[in-house]
Short mmCIF file of all heavy atoms in Angstrom, two decimals:
data_model
loop_
_atom_site.label_atom_id
_atom_site.label_comp_id
_atom_site.label_asym_id
_atom_site.label_seq_id
_atom_site.Cartn_x
_atom_site.Cartn_y
_atom_site.Cartn_z
N THR A 60 -23.35 24.16 -6.57
CA THR A 60 -23.89 23.82 -7.89
C THR A 60 -25.08 22.88 -7.80
O THR A 60 -25.96 22.92 -8.72
CB THR A 60 -22.77 23.19 -8.76
OG1 THR A 60 -22.21 22.05 -8.13
CG2 THR A 60 -21.68 24.17 -9.03
N GLY A 61 -25.12 21.99 -6.81
CA GLY A 61 -26.19 21.02 -6.74
C GLY A 61 -27.61 21.64 -6.65
O GLY A 61 -28.42 21.27 -7.60
N PRO A 62 -27.86 22.60 -5.78
CA PRO A 62 -29.19 23.17 -5.77
C PRO A 62 -29.56 23.87 -7.05
O PRO A 62 -30.71 23.85 -7.50
CB PRO A 62 -29.16 24.18 -4.65
CG PRO A 62 -28.08 23.63 -3.74
CD PRO A 62 -27.09 23.08 -4.67
N ILE A 63 -28.55 24.62 -7.73
CA ILE A 63 -28.86 25.28 -9.00
C ILE A 63 -29.16 24.32 -10.12
O ILE A 63 -30.16 24.49 -10.83
CB ILE A 63 -27.60 26.22 -9.37
CG1 ILE A 63 -27.40 27.23 -8.27
CG2 ILE A 63 -27.94 26.87 -10.70
CD1 ILE A 63 -26.15 28.07 -8.56
N GLY A 64 -28.31 23.32 -10.24
CA GLY A 64 -28.51 22.42 -11.38
C GLY A 64 -29.54 21.37 -11.22
O GLY A 64 -30.16 20.93 -12.20
N LEU A 65 -29.76 20.87 -9.97
CA LEU A 65 -30.69 19.83 -9.76
C LEU A 65 -31.99 20.22 -9.22
O LEU A 65 -32.99 19.37 -9.24
CB LEU A 65 -30.01 18.73 -8.84
CG LEU A 65 -28.64 18.26 -9.36
CD1 LEU A 65 -28.13 17.27 -8.29
CD2 LEU A 65 -28.74 17.59 -10.75
N MET A 66 -32.16 21.42 -8.67
CA MET A 66 -33.43 21.77 -8.04
C MET A 66 -34.00 23.12 -8.64
O MET A 66 -35.12 23.20 -9.21
CB MET A 66 -33.26 21.91 -6.56
CG MET A 66 -33.03 20.63 -5.84
SD MET A 66 -32.97 20.79 -4.04
CE MET A 66 -31.39 21.55 -3.80
N LEU A 67 -33.17 24.19 -8.57
CA LEU A 67 -33.69 25.51 -9.01
C LEU A 67 -34.08 25.51 -10.51
O LEU A 67 -35.15 25.95 -10.87
CB LEU A 67 -32.63 26.57 -8.69
CG LEU A 67 -33.00 28.02 -9.10
CD1 LEU A 67 -34.29 28.48 -8.30
CD2 LEU A 67 -31.87 28.98 -8.82
N MET A 68 -33.14 25.11 -11.32
CA MET A 68 -33.39 25.10 -12.80
C MET A 68 -34.56 24.23 -13.20
O MET A 68 -35.48 24.77 -13.87
CB MET A 68 -32.16 24.76 -13.57
CG MET A 68 -32.32 24.89 -15.06
SD MET A 68 -32.94 23.47 -15.89
CE MET A 68 -31.56 22.40 -15.89
N PRO A 69 -34.60 22.97 -12.76
CA PRO A 69 -35.84 22.20 -13.11
C PRO A 69 -37.15 22.79 -12.65
O PRO A 69 -38.12 22.73 -13.35
CB PRO A 69 -35.51 20.82 -12.47
CG PRO A 69 -34.05 20.77 -12.35
CD PRO A 69 -33.59 22.20 -12.11
N GLU A 70 -37.12 23.30 -11.39
CA GLU A 70 -38.28 23.91 -10.80
C GLU A 70 -38.79 25.11 -11.63
O GLU A 70 -39.95 25.37 -11.79
CB GLU A 70 -38.13 24.23 -9.36
CG GLU A 70 -37.98 23.01 -8.48
CD GLU A 70 -37.65 23.37 -7.06
OE1 GLU A 70 -37.49 24.63 -6.79
OE2 GLU A 70 -37.60 22.50 -6.18
N GLN A 71 -37.76 25.86 -12.15
CA GLN A 71 -38.08 27.09 -12.92
C GLN A 71 -38.53 26.80 -14.38
O GLN A 71 -39.27 27.57 -14.98
CB GLN A 71 -36.92 28.05 -12.97
CG GLN A 71 -36.46 28.60 -11.61
CD GLN A 71 -37.45 29.63 -11.13
OE1 GLN A 71 -37.94 30.45 -11.87
NE2 GLN A 71 -37.69 29.65 -9.83
N ILE A 72 -38.13 25.61 -14.89
CA ILE A 72 -38.33 25.39 -16.32
C ILE A 72 -39.46 24.31 -16.52
O ILE A 72 -40.36 24.51 -17.28
CB ILE A 72 -37.03 24.94 -16.98
CG1 ILE A 72 -35.95 26.02 -16.83
CG2 ILE A 72 -37.28 24.56 -18.41
CD1 ILE A 72 -36.27 27.30 -17.49
N PHE A 73 -39.32 23.22 -15.89
CA PHE A 73 -40.10 22.04 -16.22
C PHE A 73 -41.41 21.93 -15.37
O PHE A 73 -41.34 22.04 -14.17
CB PHE A 73 -39.31 20.74 -16.09
CG PHE A 73 -38.19 20.69 -17.03
CD1 PHE A 73 -36.85 20.92 -16.59
CD2 PHE A 73 -38.39 20.51 -18.41
CE1 PHE A 73 -35.79 20.90 -17.54
CE2 PHE A 73 -37.35 20.51 -19.37
CZ PHE A 73 -36.03 20.70 -18.86
N VAL A 74 -42.57 21.79 -16.01
CA VAL A 74 -43.86 21.57 -15.43
C VAL A 74 -44.36 20.29 -15.86
O VAL A 74 -44.77 20.03 -17.07
CB VAL A 74 -44.82 22.75 -15.74
CG1 VAL A 74 -46.18 22.51 -15.06
CG2 VAL A 74 -44.22 24.10 -15.46
N ALA A 75 -44.31 19.26 -15.04
CA ALA A 75 -44.64 17.92 -15.36
C ALA A 75 -45.99 17.74 -16.10
O ALA A 75 -46.07 16.96 -17.01
CB ALA A 75 -44.55 16.97 -14.14
N GLU A 76 -46.97 18.39 -15.60
CA GLU A 76 -48.35 18.24 -16.11
C GLU A 76 -48.76 19.21 -17.19
O GLU A 76 -49.86 19.25 -17.63
CB GLU A 76 -49.41 18.32 -14.95
CG GLU A 76 -49.08 17.33 -13.87
CD GLU A 76 -49.10 15.85 -14.27
OE1 GLU A 76 -49.90 15.55 -15.23
OE2 GLU A 76 -48.33 15.03 -13.71
N ASN A 77 -47.82 20.07 -17.59
CA ASN A 77 -48.12 21.12 -18.60
C ASN A 77 -46.96 21.32 -19.57
O ASN A 77 -46.07 22.16 -19.33
CB ASN A 77 -48.50 22.37 -17.85
CG ASN A 77 -49.11 23.44 -18.76
OD1 ASN A 77 -48.91 23.40 -19.99
ND2 ASN A 77 -49.96 24.32 -18.14
N ALA A 78 -47.00 20.53 -20.65
CA ALA A 78 -45.94 20.61 -21.64
C ALA A 78 -45.88 22.00 -22.27
O ALA A 78 -44.81 22.48 -22.59
CB ALA A 78 -46.08 19.56 -22.70
N THR A 79 -46.99 22.69 -22.50
CA THR A 79 -47.07 23.93 -23.08
C THR A 79 -46.34 25.00 -22.24
O THR A 79 -45.58 25.84 -22.71
CB THR A 79 -48.51 24.45 -23.35
OG1 THR A 79 -49.20 23.43 -24.17
CG2 THR A 79 -48.52 25.78 -24.06
N GLN A 80 -46.60 24.92 -20.90
CA GLN A 80 -45.97 25.84 -20.02
C GLN A 80 -44.38 25.61 -19.94
O GLN A 80 -43.60 26.50 -19.83
CB GLN A 80 -46.53 25.70 -18.58
CG GLN A 80 -46.01 26.80 -17.62
CD GLN A 80 -46.27 28.16 -18.05
OE1 GLN A 80 -47.43 28.51 -18.39
NE2 GLN A 80 -45.24 29.03 -18.06
N THR A 81 -44.05 24.31 -20.07
CA THR A 81 -42.57 23.96 -20.03
C THR A 81 -41.99 24.58 -21.23
O THR A 81 -40.83 25.11 -21.15
CB THR A 81 -42.42 22.40 -20.00
OG1 THR A 81 -42.94 21.88 -18.81
CG2 THR A 81 -40.98 22.06 -20.15
N LEU A 82 -42.61 24.43 -22.39
CA LEU A 82 -42.05 25.03 -23.63
C LEU A 82 -41.88 26.50 -23.52
O LEU A 82 -40.84 27.09 -23.88
CB LEU A 82 -42.93 24.68 -24.80
CG LEU A 82 -42.53 25.28 -26.20
CD1 LEU A 82 -41.12 24.71 -26.57
CD2 LEU A 82 -43.53 24.96 -27.24
N ALA A 83 -42.86 27.23 -22.94
CA ALA A 83 -42.81 28.67 -22.74
C ALA A 83 -41.66 28.96 -21.80
O ALA A 83 -41.01 29.99 -22.03
CB ALA A 83 -44.13 29.15 -22.18
N ASN A 84 -41.53 28.34 -20.67
CA ASN A 84 -40.45 28.51 -19.74
C ASN A 84 -39.08 28.35 -20.37
O ASN A 84 -38.16 29.09 -20.13
CB ASN A 84 -40.67 27.65 -18.54
CG ASN A 84 -41.79 27.89 -17.72
OD1 ASN A 84 -42.42 28.97 -17.86
ND2 ASN A 84 -42.30 26.94 -16.93
N LEU A 85 -39.00 27.28 -21.20
CA LEU A 85 -37.75 26.97 -21.79
C LEU A 85 -37.25 28.00 -22.79
O LEU A 85 -36.10 28.35 -22.83
CB LEU A 85 -37.84 25.58 -22.49
CG LEU A 85 -36.53 24.89 -22.95
CD1 LEU A 85 -35.55 24.74 -21.86
CD2 LEU A 85 -36.86 23.51 -23.57
N THR A 86 -38.14 28.49 -23.63
CA THR A 86 -37.82 29.48 -24.61
C THR A 86 -37.77 30.89 -24.02
O THR A 86 -37.03 31.70 -24.49
CB THR A 86 -38.83 29.46 -25.77
OG1 THR A 86 -40.20 29.65 -25.22
CG2 THR A 86 -38.81 28.19 -26.52
N GLY A 87 -38.53 31.21 -22.94
CA GLY A 87 -38.61 32.48 -22.39
C GLY A 87 -37.58 32.75 -21.19
O GLY A 87 -37.38 33.87 -20.83
N ASN A 88 -37.02 31.65 -20.71
CA ASN A 88 -36.06 31.80 -19.63
C ASN A 88 -34.78 30.95 -19.91
O ASN A 88 -34.42 30.13 -19.04
CB ASN A 88 -36.71 31.32 -18.31
CG ASN A 88 -36.04 31.78 -17.09
OD1 ASN A 88 -35.00 32.59 -17.23
ND2 ASN A 88 -36.47 31.38 -15.94
N SER A 89 -34.21 31.17 -21.07
CA SER A 89 -33.09 30.34 -21.53
C SER A 89 -31.89 30.58 -20.62
O SER A 89 -31.04 29.68 -20.41
CB SER A 89 -32.74 30.64 -22.96
OG SER A 89 -32.42 31.94 -23.12
N ASN A 90 -31.69 31.79 -20.01
CA ASN A 90 -30.60 32.07 -19.14
C ASN A 90 -30.58 31.12 -17.99
O ASN A 90 -29.53 30.56 -17.58
CB ASN A 90 -30.64 33.50 -18.65
CG ASN A 90 -30.25 34.55 -19.80
OD1 ASN A 90 -29.55 34.12 -20.73
ND2 ASN A 90 -30.58 35.69 -19.62
N MET A 91 -31.78 30.96 -17.31
CA MET A 91 -31.86 30.06 -16.16
C MET A 91 -31.53 28.59 -16.61
O MET A 91 -30.87 27.89 -15.88
CB MET A 91 -33.23 30.17 -15.56
CG MET A 91 -33.51 29.09 -14.46
SD MET A 91 -32.25 29.13 -13.15
CE MET A 91 -32.67 30.73 -12.37
N PHE A 92 -31.99 28.24 -17.79
CA PHE A 92 -31.70 26.93 -18.33
C PHE A 92 -30.27 26.73 -18.47
O PHE A 92 -29.78 25.64 -17.99
CB PHE A 92 -32.45 26.72 -19.64
CG PHE A 92 -32.10 25.40 -20.31
CD1 PHE A 92 -32.79 24.22 -19.86
CD2 PHE A 92 -31.24 25.33 -21.38
CE1 PHE A 92 -32.51 23.02 -20.52
CE2 PHE A 92 -30.96 24.13 -22.00
CZ PHE A 92 -31.53 22.94 -21.53
N PHE A 93 -29.51 27.57 -19.03
CA PHE A 93 -28.09 27.39 -19.26
C PHE A 93 -27.31 27.53 -17.98
O PHE A 93 -26.19 27.00 -17.79
CB PHE A 93 -27.56 28.37 -20.27
CG PHE A 93 -27.94 27.92 -21.72
CD1 PHE A 93 -28.81 28.50 -22.48
CD2 PHE A 93 -27.29 26.73 -22.22
CE1 PHE A 93 -29.16 28.13 -23.71
CE2 PHE A 93 -27.62 26.30 -23.48
CZ PHE A 93 -28.53 27.00 -24.28
N TYR A 94 -27.77 28.29 -16.97
CA TYR A 94 -27.17 28.32 -15.67
C TYR A 94 -27.28 26.92 -15.04
O TYR A 94 -26.29 26.40 -14.43
CB TYR A 94 -27.86 29.35 -14.77
CG TYR A 94 -27.67 30.81 -15.08
CD1 TYR A 94 -28.62 31.72 -14.80
CD2 TYR A 94 -26.52 31.16 -15.72
CE1 TYR A 94 -28.45 33.07 -15.10
CE2 TYR A 94 -26.36 32.54 -16.04
CZ TYR A 94 -27.29 33.45 -15.72
OH TYR A 94 -27.07 34.82 -16.08
N GLY A 95 -28.42 26.37 -15.23
CA GLY A 95 -28.65 24.96 -14.72
C GLY A 95 -27.75 23.95 -15.41
O GLY A 95 -27.11 23.08 -14.75
N ILE A 96 -27.64 24.12 -16.76
CA ILE A 96 -26.71 23.18 -17.46
C ILE A 96 -25.33 23.41 -17.08
O ILE A 96 -24.59 22.37 -16.86
CB ILE A 96 -26.83 23.41 -19.04
CG1 ILE A 96 -28.27 23.05 -19.52
CG2 ILE A 96 -25.76 22.72 -19.76
CD1 ILE A 96 -28.52 21.55 -19.44
N GLY A 97 -24.87 24.66 -16.88
CA GLY A 97 -23.52 24.95 -16.49
C GLY A 97 -23.28 24.31 -15.09
O GLY A 97 -22.16 23.75 -14.80
N ALA A 98 -24.29 24.41 -14.20
CA ALA A 98 -24.11 23.78 -12.92
C ALA A 98 -24.00 22.28 -12.92
O ALA A 98 -23.24 21.66 -12.19
CB ALA A 98 -25.30 24.23 -11.96
N GLN A 99 -24.81 21.69 -13.83
CA GLN A 99 -24.73 20.20 -13.95
C GLN A 99 -23.38 19.70 -14.60
O GLN A 99 -22.91 18.69 -14.17
CB GLN A 99 -25.91 19.74 -14.82
CG GLN A 99 -27.24 19.88 -14.13
CD GLN A 99 -28.38 19.02 -14.79
OE1 GLN A 99 -28.07 18.01 -15.35
NE2 GLN A 99 -29.58 19.42 -14.50
N VAL A 100 -22.82 20.52 -15.41
CA VAL A 100 -21.56 20.21 -15.98
C VAL A 100 -20.47 20.27 -14.85
O VAL A 100 -19.66 19.42 -14.79
CB VAL A 100 -21.10 21.12 -17.15
CG1 VAL A 100 -19.70 20.95 -17.51
CG2 VAL A 100 -22.03 20.86 -18.43
N ALA A 101 -20.60 21.30 -14.05
CA ALA A 101 -19.68 21.44 -12.95
C ALA A 101 -19.79 20.30 -11.93
O ALA A 101 -18.79 19.80 -11.40
CB ALA A 101 -19.94 22.73 -12.22
N ILE A 102 -21.04 19.86 -11.68
CA ILE A 102 -21.30 18.67 -10.83
C ILE A 102 -20.59 17.47 -11.47
O ILE A 102 -19.86 16.66 -10.70
CB ILE A 102 -22.81 18.43 -10.67
CG1 ILE A 102 -23.38 19.56 -9.84
CG2 ILE A 102 -23.10 17.16 -9.98
CD1 ILE A 102 -24.92 19.57 -9.88
N PHE A 103 -20.80 17.24 -12.73
CA PHE A 103 -20.26 16.10 -13.40
C PHE A 103 -18.77 16.01 -13.32
O PHE A 103 -18.17 14.95 -12.96
CB PHE A 103 -20.67 16.13 -14.86
CG PHE A 103 -20.10 15.15 -15.82
CD1 PHE A 103 -20.16 13.84 -15.58
CD2 PHE A 103 -19.43 15.58 -16.96
CE1 PHE A 103 -19.65 12.90 -16.37
CE2 PHE A 103 -18.91 14.62 -17.81
CZ PHE A 103 -19.05 13.32 -17.54
N LEU A 104 -18.13 17.12 -13.56
CA LEU A 104 -16.69 17.14 -13.51
C LEU A 104 -16.08 17.11 -12.07
O LEU A 104 -15.15 16.33 -11.81
CB LEU A 104 -16.12 18.43 -14.15
CG LEU A 104 -16.43 18.56 -15.63
CD1 LEU A 104 -15.81 19.95 -16.21
CD2 LEU A 104 -15.86 17.44 -16.48
N THR A 105 -16.80 17.72 -11.22
CA THR A 105 -16.36 17.72 -9.79
C THR A 105 -16.46 16.29 -9.17
O THR A 105 -15.67 15.80 -8.40
CB THR A 105 -17.19 18.70 -8.93
OG1 THR A 105 -17.04 19.98 -9.48
CG2 THR A 105 -16.71 18.74 -7.47
#
Side-chain angles (χ1 to χ4, degrees):
T60 57
I63 297 173
L65 303 178
M66 291 185 288
L67 181 61
M68 184 273 284
E70 290 176 357
Q71 294 288 322
I72 301 296
F73 298 103
V74 182
E76 304 300 328
N77 192 333
T79 303
Q80 186 60 51
T81 296
L82 178 61
N84 293 342
L85 192 55
T86 55
N88 197 6
S89 59
N90 285 339
M91 173 55 68
F92 175 77
F93 282 110
Y94 290 150
I96 291 295
Q99 291 199 24
V100 169
I102 293 169
F103 173 53
L104 298 179
T105 302

